[in-house]
């Protein structure tokens, strides 16, 4: 899957937060997050989700193609590389041209 990534600001010291624009919505991404602890909240006007695994957290609006990923302070570079390799290995291939 192709994506665009940029560093985002976070109010927490030592936070490593990146924003990813994907060719799928947050709701569609959930299909690929097998083994993650997923929570959905449909009480908001724009329902949201969060997915956690090993200190890594992905958050977003279910209907949006933009998600935020919070990496751990200690291993963020390795985690970022692994997550991006994983994203590149899953479909769909269209979009983000």
């Amino acid at each position: 899957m192709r994506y665009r990534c940029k560093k985002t600001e976070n109010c927490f010291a030592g936070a490593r937060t990146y924003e990813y624009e994907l060719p799928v919505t947050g709701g569609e991404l959930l299909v690929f997050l097998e083994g993650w602890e997923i929570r959905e909240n449909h009480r908001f006007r724009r329902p949201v989700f969060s997915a956690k695994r090993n200190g890594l957290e992905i958050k977003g609006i279910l209907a949006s193609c933009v998600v935020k990923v919070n990496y751990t302070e200690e291993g963020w570079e390795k985690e970022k590389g692994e997550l991006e390799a994983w994203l590149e290995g899953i479909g769909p291939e269209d979009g983000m041209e």
Side-chain angles (χ1 to χ4, degrees):
M1 162 183 325
R2 296 182 187 169
Y3 60 86
R4 291 190 188 115
C5 175
K6 69 178 181 179
K7 176 95 167 87
T8 61
E9 294 302 316
N10 190 316
C11 61
F12 298 105
R16 304 287 188 256
T17 303
Y18 286 80
E19 184 176 278
Y20 290 83
E21 183 181 354
L22 306 172
V24 296
T25 65
E28 293 167 333
L29 179 65
L30 294 180
V31 172
F32 300 104
L33 297 175
E34 187 176 321
W36 290 66
E37 177 189 333
I38 297 172
R39 298 180 123 185
E40 295 182 39
N41 189 337
H42 294 270
R43 290 182 283 167
F44 294 111
R45 185 173 56 91
R46 296 173 53 187
V48 297
F49 77 95
S50 70
K52 295 181 182 181
R53 186 176 75 183
N54 300 329
L56 205 67
E57 182 175 30
I58 301 173
K59 293 181 178 181
I61 296 170
L62 287 166
S64 175
C65 292
V66 175
V67 298
K68 289 189 178 183
V69 178
N70 297 317
Y71 296 103
T72 65
E73 187 174 356
E74 307 80 37
W76 75 272
E77 291 169 315
K78 181 180 182 222
E79 293 167 354
K80 184 174 183 294
E82 289 173 352
L83 181 78
E84 291 177 355
W86 174 77
L87 281 172
E88 291 167 5
I90 61 175
E93 295 302 320
D94 298 38
M96 298 294 110
E97 302 198 9

